Amino acid sequence: MDVPPLVLLLCLHTLLLLLHHTRCKTLNTISPTIPLHDGDVLLSENKNFALGFFSPSNSTRRFIGTWYNKSFDHPSDTLMPFMKLGLDWRTGMDWVLTSWRSEDFPGPENFTYRFDPTGYPQIFLCKNAAPLWRTGPWTGLCWSGLFGMSSNYIFNFSFVNDHEEDGRWNELWRTPVEDCDYYMACGPNSNCNPYNADQFRCTCLPGFEPRSPADWFLRDGSGGCIRSPGASTCRSREGFVKVALVKLPDTSRAYVDMGLSLKECEQECLKNCSCTAYTSADERNGGFGCLAGYGDLLDMRTYSNIGQDLYIQVDAAILGTYELTYT
């Protein structure tokens, strides 16, 4: 018989646990005389789906579940080799990671990791659909907010089957790892810097000041920053200040034109009174394409030796008060 495609989505470690049983065998059919024993795997006719019993983590309970034996079109809580995460524009298929309720119970929880196609695409980690963390946009070399992970890295996973490491998982990377990684840690129009413990981690971007100076003094930056009073950023001798080595702000409402140079991007930003900042859309080959932000700049942070340069539009009257590189 063909197994229904979606009873419960399982991960690779579930399959490994099943295969460890000494009496494990692969079946194509079950009947009153050929039952499915604990540890057996029932495969569909095309071998795309498998069904069997499992116990997650240290749970004493047994579950029966169906998982993809080969295509990973419906991921559960683990990103597997060759598995897709994202959106198929043609079919509308949305590949999303969803956390388990606990290590011992495989029911879906309220955390998701999914691709957001609005504006300039990025990936969000959400809790109850509210953003908790994001990757930032793809820069051509890496995700803007994934520290130390680029297209030059190759990850090789292996399973060790012995008495000491039987079935164990080794943690490769986790996020958020510090306060500045949480979405909007310092509110809008600010930059979060985790590297100087003696100073407040939140800093207003050039041309902005704290929305609530009293809260800022108490090291509460959740209210973020607003334009300095009297500032003009609409065709009145404005200019740009470079903020170096940052995770780019949320690009959900960004404008993208891959045919423009960085200089042309600057000119386009100057023409639009709503344009707040610009940068290269792709870092390769010295940078190309135009990525421009409009309105508030959300969820920025500083890195020590990676990140992109972002050019913030400021009032001409205060342009000279900033150095060429803002830190």
Side-chain angles (χ1 to χ4, degrees):
M1 77 173 190
D2 206 3
V3 180
L6 185 60
V7 175
L8 180 66
L9 302 173
L10 303 176
C11 306
L12 181 59
H13 60 283
T14 299
L15 179 59
L16 292 172
L17 287 173
L18 287 171
L19 294 177
H20 287 165
H21 290 274
T22 56
R23 62 179 302 169
C24 173
K25 60 179 179 292
T26 300
L27 303 174
N28 294 319
T29 60
I30 56 175
S31 67
T33 58
I34 308 177
L36 181 70
H37 294 285
D38 193 2
D40 294 344
V41 177
L42 177 64
L43 295 181
S44 62
E45 183 176 357
N46 56 17
K47 294 183 172 55
N48 287 332
F49 308 107
L51 179 144
F53 297 95
F54 72 101
S55 288
S57 189
N58 296 319
S59 174
T60 59
R61 293 179 293 182
R62 301 295 285 162
F63 296 86
I64 187 169
T66 301
W67 60 92
Y68 278 84
N69 190 46
K70 297 179 180 180
S71 54
F72 300 117
D73 275 353
H74 297 274
S76 178
D77 70 327
T78 304
L79 191 62
M80 309 299 295
F82 309 109
M83 189 175 75
K84 297 178 181 179
L85 182 67
L87 183 66
D88 187 324
W89 295 95
R90 183 178 58 85
T91 65
M93 172 70 75
D94 192 8
W95 294 280
V96 180
L97 290 181
T98 304
S99 64
W100 283 13
R101 194 165 301 173
S102 71
E103 291 186 357
D104 300 330
F105 188 75
E109 186 51 282
N110 51 7
F111 290 92
T112 57
Y113 190 65
R114 69 189 315 149
F115 179 81
D116 179 14
T118 59
Y120 198 48
Q122 48 195 345
I123 299 175
F124 278 88
L125 173 66
C126 295
K127 180 179 181 181
N128 295 322
L132 184 66
W133 174 85
R134 66 186 180 90
T135 61
W138 180 252
T139 70
L141 297 174
C142 64
W143 295 103
S144 176
L146 278 182
F147 179 80
M149 283 186 145
S150 74
S151 58
N152 295 325
Y153 281 72
I154 299 176
F155 300 101
N156 182 23
F157 297 92
S158 61
F159 178 74
V160 179
N161 186 9
D162 58 32
H163 293 294
E164 294 183 1
E165 295 192 68
D166 188 0
R168 290 177 53 190
W169 286 76
N170 295 321
E171 183 177 290
L172 173 68
W173 169 81
R174 69 164 62 190
T175 194
V177 295
E178 54 194 3
D179 289 344
C180 285
D181 287 321
Y182 287 94
Y183 188 76
M184 292 275 287
C186 291
N189 306 310
S190 64
N191 190 32
C192 191
N193 185 342
Y195 300 112
N196 193 336
D198 296 331
Q199 297 181 2
F200 184 32
R201 68 178 185 273
C202 299
T203 304
C204 288
L205 295 173
F208 293 84
E209 60 183 46
R211 181 183 299 274
S212 174
D215 291 341
W216 210 262
F217 178 77
L218 296 174
R219 297 200 169 192
D220 178 3
S222 59
C225 305
I226 57 175
R227 281 282 182 191
S228 300
S232 172
T233 57
C234 192
R235 301 174 187 173
S236 180
R237 296 175 53 241
E238 298 85 10
F240 296 89
V241 173
K242 182 172 74 172
V243 183
L245 300 177
V246 297
K247 173 183 179 179
L248 296 182
D250 191 341
T251 55
S252 299
R253 295 181 294 171
Y255 163 82
V256 183
D257 188 334
M258 300 305 292
L260 298 181
S261 67
L262 190 62
K263 186 61 178 179
E264 290 170 331
C265 189
E266 176 184 354
Q267 297 305 312
E268 287 298 315
C269 191
L270 282 173
K271 293 177 184 178
N272 193 318
C273 293
S274 299
C275 185
T276 313
Y278 75 94
T279 188
S280 295
D282 197 301
E283 291 184 287
R284 292 173 295 179
N285 302 319
F288 64 92
C290 177
L291 178 60
Y294 295 86
D296 289 331
L297 300 173
L298 309 179
D299 192 42
M300 289 179 58
R301 63 154 292 170
T302 294
Y303 291 114
S304 60
N305 57 3
I306 64 168
Q308 281 185 264
D309 295 337
L310 183 70
Y311 298 87
I312 311 292
Q313 187 168 182
V314 299
D315 190 295
I318 64 173
L319 181 60
T321 65
Y322 287 92
E323 299 177 351
L324 290 178
T325 300
Y326 171 84
T327 57

